PDB file of all heavy atoms in Angstrom:
ATOM      1  N   ALA A1432      41.350  19.301  -7.347  1.00 86.00           N
ATOM      2  CA  ALA A1432      41.369  18.210  -6.384  1.00 86.00           C
ATOM      3  C   ALA A1432      40.569  18.615  -5.149  1.00 86.00           C
ATOM      4  O   ALA A1432      40.138  19.762  -5.007  1.00 86.00           O
ATOM      5  CB  ALA A1432      42.804  17.871  -6.001  1.00 86.00           C
ATOM      6  N   MET A1433      40.370  17.674  -4.242  1.00 88.00           N
ATOM      7  CA  MET A1433      39.680  17.973  -2.988  1.00 88.00           C
ATOM      8  C   MET A1433      40.633  18.618  -1.992  1.00 88.00           C
ATOM      9  O   MET A1433      41.799  18.211  -1.882  1.00 88.00           O
ATOM     10  CB  MET A1433      39.106  16.684  -2.374  1.00 88.00           C
ATOM     11  CG  MET A1433      37.855  16.176  -3.040  1.00 88.00           C
ATOM     12  SD  MET A1433      37.166  14.733  -2.174  1.00 88.00           S
ATOM     13  CE  MET A1433      37.835  13.417  -3.187  1.00 88.00           C
ATOM     14  N   ASP A1434      40.130  19.604  -1.243  1.00 89.00           N
ATOM     15  CA  ASP A1434      40.921  20.156  -0.156  1.00 89.00           C
ATOM     16  C   ASP A1434      40.778  19.273   1.074  1.00 89.00           C
ATOM     17  O   ASP A1434      40.015  18.293   1.087  1.00 89.00           O
ATOM     18  CB  ASP A1434      40.535  21.606   0.136  1.00 89.00           C
ATOM     19  CG  ASP A1434      39.075  21.764   0.562  1.00 89.00           C
ATOM     20  OD1 ASP A1434      38.453  20.778   1.032  1.00 89.00           O
ATOM     21  OD2 ASP A1434      38.528  22.882   0.430  1.00 89.00           O
ATOM     22  N   ASP A1435      41.522  19.610   2.134  1.00 91.00           N
ATOM     23  CA  ASP A1435      41.545  18.753   3.317  1.00 91.00           C
ATOM     24  C   ASP A1435      40.162  18.623   3.962  1.00 91.00           C
ATOM     25  O   ASP A1435      39.791  17.545   4.439  1.00 91.00           O
ATOM     26  CB  ASP A1435      42.536  19.294   4.344  1.00 91.00           C
ATOM     27  CG  ASP A1435      43.978  18.994   3.974  1.00 91.00           C
ATOM     28  OD1 ASP A1435      44.198  18.410   2.902  1.00 91.00           O
ATOM     29  OD2 ASP A1435      44.876  19.358   4.756  1.00 91.00           O
ATOM     30  N   ARG A1436      39.396  19.716   3.990  1.00 91.00           N
ATOM     31  CA  ARG A1436      38.081  19.657   4.617  1.00 91.00           C
ATOM     32  C   ARG A1436      37.155  18.712   3.847  1.00 91.00           C
ATOM     33  O   ARG A1436      36.442  17.906   4.462  1.00 91.00           O
ATOM     34  CB  ARG A1436      37.456  21.051   4.665  1.00 91.00           C
ATOM     35  CG  ARG A1436      36.024  21.073   5.199  1.00 91.00           C
ATOM     36  CD  ARG A1436      35.950  20.659   6.654  1.00 91.00           C
ATOM     37  NE  ARG A1436      34.586  20.307   7.061  1.00 91.00           N
ATOM     38  CZ  ARG A1436      34.210  20.145   8.324  1.00 91.00           C
ATOM     39  NH1 ARG A1436      35.081  20.280   9.304  1.00 91.00           N
ATOM     40  NH2 ARG A1436      32.968  19.823   8.609  1.00 91.00           N
ATOM     41  N   GLN A1437      37.186  18.783   2.518  1.00 91.00           N
ATOM     42  CA  GLN A1437      36.329  17.902   1.737  1.00 91.00           C
ATOM     43  C   GLN A1437      36.755  16.446   1.895  1.00 91.00           C
ATOM     44  O   GLN A1437      35.924  15.548   2.006  1.00 91.00           O
ATOM     45  CB  GLN A1437      36.333  18.290   0.270  1.00 91.00           C
ATOM     46  CG  GLN A1437      35.255  17.607  -0.553  1.00 91.00           C
ATOM     47  CD  GLN A1437      33.856  18.023  -0.123  1.00 91.00           C
ATOM     48  OE1 GLN A1437      33.534  19.208  -0.113  1.00 91.00           O
ATOM     49  NE2 GLN A1437      33.026  17.057   0.230  1.00 91.00           N
ATOM     50  N   LEU A1438      38.062  16.213   1.930  1.00 89.00           N
ATOM     51  CA  LEU A1438      38.556  14.858   2.157  1.00 89.00           C
ATOM     52  C   LEU A1438      38.088  14.334   3.512  1.00 89.00           C
ATOM     53  O   LEU A1438      37.652  13.177   3.626  1.00 89.00           O
ATOM     54  CB  LEU A1438      40.079  14.830   2.087  1.00 89.00           C
ATOM     55  CG  LEU A1438      40.692  14.840   0.690  1.00 89.00           C
ATOM     56  CD1 LEU A1438      42.175  15.185   0.773  1.00 89.00           C
ATOM     57  CD2 LEU A1438      40.504  13.481   0.011  1.00 89.00           C
ATOM     58  N   ARG A1439      38.163  15.179   4.509  1.00 90.00           N
ATOM     59  CA  ARG A1439      37.710  14.780   5.850  1.00 90.00           C
ATOM     60  C   ARG A1439      36.235  14.389   5.823  1.00 90.00           C
ATOM     61  O   ARG A1439      35.833  13.369   6.384  1.00 90.00           O
ATOM     62  CB  ARG A1439      37.958  15.926   6.817  1.00 90.00           C
ATOM     63  CG  ARG A1439      37.408  15.697   8.237  1.00 90.00           C
ATOM     64  CD  ARG A1439      36.045  16.342   8.388  1.00 90.00           C
ATOM     65  NE  ARG A1439      35.474  16.126   9.716  1.00 90.00           N
ATOM     66  CZ  ARG A1439      34.187  15.956   9.952  1.00 90.00           C
ATOM     67  NH1 ARG A1439      33.314  15.956   8.962  1.00 90.00           N
ATOM     68  NH2 ARG A1439      33.744  15.781  11.179  1.00 90.00           N
ATOM     69  N   ASP A1440      35.396  15.192   5.153  1.00 90.00           N
ATOM     70  CA  ASP A1440      33.972  14.901   5.095  1.00 90.00           C
ATOM     71  C   ASP A1440      33.696  13.574   4.384  1.00 90.00           C
ATOM     72  O   ASP A1440      32.837  12.792   4.808  1.00 90.00           O
ATOM     73  CB  ASP A1440      33.221  16.031   4.384  1.00 90.00           C
ATOM     74  CG  ASP A1440      33.197  17.324   5.192  1.00 90.00           C
ATOM     75  OD1 ASP A1440      33.575  17.295   6.383  1.00 90.00           O
ATOM     76  OD2 ASP A1440      32.789  18.360   4.634  1.00 90.00           O
ATOM     77  N   GLU A1441      34.439  13.313   3.321  1.00 88.00           N
ATOM     78  CA  GLU A1441      34.213  12.062   2.585  1.00 88.00           C
ATOM     79  C   GLU A1441      34.706  10.857   3.381  1.00 88.00           C
ATOM     80  O   GLU A1441      34.095   9.790   3.339  1.00 88.00           O
ATOM     81  CB  GLU A1441      34.891  12.115   1.211  1.00 88.00           C
ATOM     82  CG  GLU A1441      34.397  13.230   0.292  1.00 88.00           C
ATOM     83  CD  GLU A1441      32.897  13.203   0.029  1.00 88.00           C
ATOM     84  OE1 GLU A1441      32.213  12.232   0.433  1.00 88.00           O
ATOM     85  OE2 GLU A1441      32.397  14.159  -0.572  1.00 88.00           O
ATOM     86  N   VAL A1442      35.811  11.012   4.103  1.00 86.00           N
ATOM     87  CA  VAL A1442      36.303   9.912   4.941  1.00 86.00           C
ATOM     88  C   VAL A1442      35.276   9.579   6.020  1.00 86.00           C
ATOM     89  O   VAL A1442      34.965   8.398   6.261  1.00 86.00           O
ATOM     90  CB  VAL A1442      37.666  10.273   5.565  1.00 86.00           C
ATOM     91  CG1 VAL A1442      38.020   9.299   6.699  1.00 86.00           C
ATOM     92  CG2 VAL A1442      38.758  10.235   4.504  1.00 86.00           C
ATOM     93  N   MET A1443      34.720  10.602   6.679  1.00 85.00           N
ATOM     94  CA  MET A1443      33.707  10.352   7.701  1.00 85.00           C
ATOM     95  C   MET A1443      32.471   9.683   7.091  1.00 85.00           C
ATOM     96  O   MET A1443      31.884   8.768   7.685  1.00 85.00           O
ATOM     97  CB  MET A1443      33.308  11.660   8.387  1.00 85.00           C
ATOM     98  CG  MET A1443      34.413  12.279   9.212  1.00 85.00           C
ATOM     99  SD  MET A1443      34.959  11.215  10.575  1.00 85.00           S
ATOM    100  CE  MET A1443      36.004  12.362  11.485  1.00 85.00           C
ATOM    101  N   THR A1444      32.081  10.126   5.896  1.00 85.00           N
ATOM    102  CA  THR A1444      30.934   9.523   5.223  1.00 85.00           C
ATOM    103  C   THR A1444      31.197   8.053   4.912  1.00 85.00           C
ATOM    104  O   THR A1444      30.328   7.193   5.083  1.00 85.00           O
ATOM    105  CB  THR A1444      30.613  10.297   3.933  1.00 85.00           C
ATOM    106  OG1 THR A1444      30.258  11.642   4.270  1.00 85.00           O
ATOM    107  CG2 THR A1444      29.464   9.656   3.171  1.00 85.00           C
ATOM    108  N   LEU A1445      32.421   7.753   4.461  1.00 84.00           N
ATOM    109  CA  LEU A1445      32.762   6.369   4.152  1.00 84.00           C
ATOM    110  C   LEU A1445      32.841   5.514   5.413  1.00 84.00           C
ATOM    111  O   LEU A1445      32.540   4.317   5.374  1.00 84.00           O
ATOM    112  CB  LEU A1445      34.082   6.320   3.379  1.00 84.00           C
ATOM    113  CG  LEU A1445      34.018   6.897   1.965  1.00 84.00           C
ATOM    114  CD1 LEU A1445      35.407   6.995   1.354  1.00 84.00           C
ATOM    115  CD2 LEU A1445      33.111   6.059   1.074  1.00 84.00           C
ATOM    116  N   PHE A1446      33.230   6.109   6.545  1.00 80.00           N
ATOM    117  CA  PHE A1446      33.173   5.385   7.812  1.00 80.00           C
ATOM    118  C   PHE A1446      31.751   4.899   8.079  1.00 80.00           C
ATOM    119  O   PHE A1446      31.523   3.735   8.439  1.00 80.00           O
ATOM    120  CB  PHE A1446      33.611   6.288   8.969  1.00 80.00           C
ATOM    121  CG  PHE A1446      35.036   6.123   9.380  1.00 80.00           C
ATOM    122  CD1 PHE A1446      35.874   7.219   9.462  1.00 80.00           C
ATOM    123  CD2 PHE A1446      35.557   4.886   9.723  1.00 80.00           C
ATOM    124  CE1 PHE A1446      37.198   7.090   9.850  1.00 80.00           C
ATOM    125  CE2 PHE A1446      36.869   4.733  10.121  1.00 80.00           C
ATOM    126  CZ  PHE A1446      37.698   5.846  10.180  1.00 80.00           C
ATOM    127  N   VAL A1447      30.780   5.813   7.913  1.00 77.00           N
ATOM    128  CA  VAL A1447      29.387   5.463   8.193  1.00 77.00           C
ATOM    129  C   VAL A1447      28.898   4.402   7.219  1.00 77.00           C
ATOM    130  O   VAL A1447      28.382   3.351   7.607  1.00 77.00           O
ATOM    131  CB  VAL A1447      28.493   6.712   8.126  1.00 77.00           C
ATOM    132  CG1 VAL A1447      27.015   6.319   8.247  1.00 77.00           C
ATOM    133  CG2 VAL A1447      28.856   7.693   9.224  1.00 77.00           C
ATOM    134  N   SER A1448      29.058   4.682   5.914  1.00 76.00           N
ATOM    135  CA  SER A1448      28.501   3.781   4.906  1.00 76.00           C
ATOM    136  C   SER A1448      29.269   2.464   4.834  1.00 76.00           C
ATOM    137  O   SER A1448      28.696   1.433   4.467  1.00 76.00           O
ATOM    138  CB  SER A1448      28.498   4.464   3.533  1.00 76.00           C
ATOM    139  OG  SER A1448      29.801   4.831   3.145  1.00 76.00           O
ATOM    140  N   GLY A1449      30.548   2.474   5.189  1.00 75.00           N
ATOM    141  CA  GLY A1449      31.344   1.269   5.086  1.00 75.00           C
ATOM    142  C   GLY A1449      31.462   0.485   6.371  1.00 75.00           C
ATOM    143  O   GLY A1449      32.125  -0.551   6.404  1.00 75.00           O
ATOM    144  N   HIS A1450      30.824   0.952   7.425  1.00 80.00           N
ATOM    145  CA  HIS A1450      30.991   0.308   8.728  1.00 80.00           C
ATOM    146  C   HIS A1450      29.655  -0.023   9.364  1.00 80.00           C
ATOM    147  O   HIS A1450      29.316  -1.197   9.551  1.00 80.00           O
ATOM    148  CB  HIS A1450      31.810   1.227   9.634  1.00 80.00           C
ATOM    149  CG  HIS A1450      31.907   0.783  11.053  1.00 80.00           C
ATOM    150  ND1 HIS A1450      32.251  -0.500  11.407  1.00 80.00           N
ATOM    151  CD2 HIS A1450      31.690   1.444  12.213  1.00 80.00           C
ATOM    152  CE1 HIS A1450      32.252  -0.603  12.734  1.00 80.00           C
ATOM    153  NE2 HIS A1450      31.902   0.553  13.235  1.00 80.00           N
ATOM    154  N   GLU A1451      28.859   0.996   9.652  1.00 80.00           N
ATOM    155  CA  GLU A1451      27.605   0.773  10.365  1.00 80.00           C
ATOM    156  C   GLU A1451      26.651  -0.109   9.575  1.00 80.00           C
ATOM    157  O   GLU A1451      26.109  -1.089  10.100  1.00 80.00           O
ATOM    158  CB  GLU A1451      26.945   2.126  10.685  1.00 80.00           C
ATOM    159  CG  GLU A1451      27.657   2.934  11.729  1.00 80.00           C
ATOM    160  CD  GLU A1451      27.464   2.361  13.126  1.00 80.00           C
ATOM    161  OE1 GLU A1451      26.310   2.107  13.523  1.00 80.00           O
ATOM    162  OE2 GLU A1451      28.468   2.165  13.823  1.00 80.00           O
ATOM    163  N   THR A1452      26.397   0.238   8.312  1.00 86.00           N
ATOM    164  CA  THR A1452      25.399  -0.511   7.549  1.00 86.00           C
ATOM    165  C   THR A1452      25.863  -1.929   7.237  1.00 86.00           C
ATOM    166  O   THR A1452      25.072  -2.877   7.269  1.00 86.00           O
ATOM    167  CB  THR A1452      25.053   0.226   6.247  1.00 86.00           C
ATOM    168  OG1 THR A1452      26.257   0.505   5.521  1.00 86.00           O
ATOM    169  CG2 THR A1452      24.345   1.543   6.537  1.00 86.00           C
ATOM    170  N   THR A1453      27.166  -2.098   6.946  1.00 91.00           N
ATOM    171  CA  THR A1453      27.677  -3.440   6.662  1.00 91.00           C
ATOM    172  C   THR A1453      27.651  -4.311   7.919  1.00 91.00           C
ATOM    173  O   THR A1453      27.401  -5.522   7.846  1.00 91.00           O
ATOM    174  CB  THR A1453      29.094  -3.368   6.086  1.00 91.00           C
ATOM    175  OG1 THR A1453      29.111  -2.441   4.999  1.00 91.00           O
ATOM    176  CG2 THR A1453      29.538  -4.724   5.576  1.00 91.00           C
ATOM    177  N   THR A1454      27.893  -3.708   9.073  1.00 89.00           N
ATOM    178  CA  THR A1454      27.762  -4.430  10.336  1.00 89.00           C
ATOM    179  C   THR A1454      26.359  -5.006  10.487  1.00 89.00           C
ATOM    180  O   THR A1454      26.177  -6.192  10.789  1.00 89.00           O
ATOM    181  CB  THR A1454      28.065  -3.498  11.527  1.00 89.00           C
ATOM    182  OG1 THR A1454      29.439  -3.112  11.492  1.00 89.00           O
ATOM    183  CG2 THR A1454      27.771  -4.190  12.848  1.00 89.00           C
ATOM    184  N   ASP A1455      25.353  -4.165  10.272  1.00 88.00           N
ATOM    185  CA  ASP A1455      23.975  -4.637  10.390  1.00 88.00           C
ATOM    186  C   ASP A1455      23.670  -5.725   9.375  1.00 88.00           C
ATOM    187  O   ASP A1455      23.037  -6.739   9.700  1.00 88.00           O
ATOM    188  CB  ASP A1455      23.004  -3.460  10.197  1.00 88.00           C
ATOM    189  CG  ASP A1455      22.962  -2.540  11.397  1.00 88.00           C
ATOM    190  OD1 ASP A1455      23.261  -2.994  12.505  1.00 88.00           O
ATOM    191  OD2 ASP A1455      22.624  -1.353  11.219  1.00 88.00           O
ATOM    192  N   ALA A1456      24.109  -5.526   8.117  1.00 92.00           N
ATOM    193  CA  ALA A1456      23.811  -6.502   7.070  1.00 92.00           C
ATOM    194  C   ALA A1456      24.405  -7.864   7.400  1.00 92.00           C
ATOM    195  O   ALA A1456      23.743  -8.907   7.261  1.00 92.00           O
ATOM    196  CB  ALA A1456      24.329  -5.997   5.727  1.00 92.00           C
ATOM    197  N   LEU A1457      25.657  -7.892   7.839  1.00 94.00           N
ATOM    198  CA  LEU A1457      26.304  -9.161   8.158  1.00 94.00           C
ATOM    199  C   LEU A1457      25.709  -9.799   9.405  1.00 94.00           C
ATOM    200  O   LEU A1457      25.520 -11.026   9.466  1.00 94.00           O
ATOM    201  CB  LEU A1457      27.804  -8.955   8.350  1.00 94.00           C
ATOM    202  CG  LEU A1457      28.620  -8.791   7.077  1.00 94.00           C
ATOM    203  CD1 LEU A1457      30.020  -8.277   7.393  1.00 94.00           C
ATOM    204  CD2 LEU A1457      28.702 -10.109   6.305  1.00 94.00           C
ATOM    205  N   THR A1458      25.402  -8.996  10.415  1.00 92.00           N
ATOM    206  CA  THR A1458      24.829  -9.538  11.650  1.00 92.00           C
ATOM    207  C   THR A1458      23.549 -10.296  11.363  1.00 92.00           C
ATOM    208  O   THR A1458      23.375 -11.454  11.781  1.00 92.00           O
ATOM    209  CB  THR A1458      24.550  -8.401  12.648  1.00 92.00           C
ATOM    210  OG1 THR A1458      25.786  -7.777  13.009  1.00 92.00           O
ATOM    211  CG2 THR A1458      23.872  -8.934  13.907  1.00 92.00           C
ATOM    212  N   TRP A1459      22.646  -9.671  10.616  1.00 90.00           N
ATOM    213  CA  TRP A1459      21.349 -10.310  10.387  1.00 90.00           C
ATOM    214  C   TRP A1459      21.413 -11.366   9.296  1.00 90.00           C
ATOM    215  O   TRP A1459      20.531 -12.232   9.215  1.00 90.00           O
ATOM    216  CB  TRP A1459      20.291  -9.255  10.116  1.00 90.00           C
ATOM    217  CG  TRP A1459      20.132  -8.377  11.326  1.00 90.00           C
ATOM    218  CD1 TRP A1459      20.357  -7.042  11.415  1.00 90.00           C
ATOM    219  CD2 TRP A1459      19.768  -8.803  12.647  1.00 90.00           C
ATOM    220  NE1 TRP A1459      20.155  -6.606  12.697  1.00 90.00           N
ATOM    221  CE2 TRP A1459      19.796  -7.666  13.476  1.00 90.00           C
ATOM    222  CE3 TRP A1459      19.426 -10.033  13.203  1.00 90.00           C
ATOM    223  CZ2 TRP A1459      19.477  -7.724  14.836  1.00 90.00           C
ATOM    224  CZ3 TRP A1459      19.124 -10.090  14.552  1.00 90.00           C
ATOM    225  CH2 TRP A1459      19.148  -8.938  15.354  1.00 90.00           C
ATOM    226  N   LEU A1460      22.473 -11.347   8.489  1.00 95.00           N
ATOM    227  CA  LEU A1460      22.673 -12.468   7.566  1.00 95.00           C
ATOM    228  C   LEU A1460      22.992 -13.738   8.350  1.00 95.00           C
ATOM    229  O   LEU A1460      22.423 -14.812   8.091  1.00 95.00           O
ATOM    230  CB  LEU A1460      23.793 -12.152   6.589  1.00 95.00           C
ATOM    231  CG  LEU A1460      24.153 -13.286   5.623  1.00 95.00           C
ATOM    232  CD1 LEU A1460      22.964 -13.640   4.737  1.00 95.00           C
ATOM    233  CD2 LEU A1460      25.353 -12.906   4.765  1.00 95.00           C
ATOM    234  N   TRP A1461      23.897 -13.654   9.332  1.00 95.00           N
ATOM    235  CA  TRP A1461      24.200 -14.826  10.161  1.00 95.00           C
ATOM    236  C   TRP A1461      22.959 -15.276  10.920  1.00 95.00           C
ATOM    237  O   TRP A1461      22.712 -16.486  11.076  1.00 95.00           O
ATOM    238  CB  TRP A1461      25.318 -14.510  11.150  1.00 95.00           C
ATOM    239  CG  TRP A1461      26.642 -14.237  10.511  1.00 95.00           C
ATOM    240  CD1 TRP A1461      27.364 -13.084  10.582  1.00 95.00           C
ATOM    241  CD2 TRP A1461      27.405 -15.136   9.682  1.00 95.00           C
ATOM    242  NE1 TRP A1461      28.534 -13.205   9.855  1.00 95.00           N
ATOM    243  CE2 TRP A1461      28.579 -14.452   9.298  1.00 95.00           C
ATOM    244  CE3 TRP A1461      27.209 -16.437   9.241  1.00 95.00           C
ATOM    245  CZ2 TRP A1461      29.554 -15.034   8.489  1.00 95.00           C
ATOM    246  CZ3 TRP A1461      28.178 -17.024   8.426  1.00 95.00           C
ATOM    247  CH2 TRP A1461      29.334 -16.320   8.066  1.00 95.00           C
TER     248      TRP A1461
END
Side-chain angles (χ1 to χ4, degrees):
M1433 284 185 262
D1434 61 22
D1435 283 2
R1436 175 65 196 193
Q1437 192 65 56
L1438 281 165
R1439 174 264 179 215
D1440 291 349
E1441 300 303 352
V1442 166
M1443 293 298 190
T1444 298
L1445 292 172
F1446 263 127
V1447 173
S1448 59
H1450 172 49
E1451 290 287 309
T1452 53
T1453 309
T1454 294
D1455 286 335
L1457 283 167
T1458 297
W1459 297 118
L1460 177 62
W1461 294 119

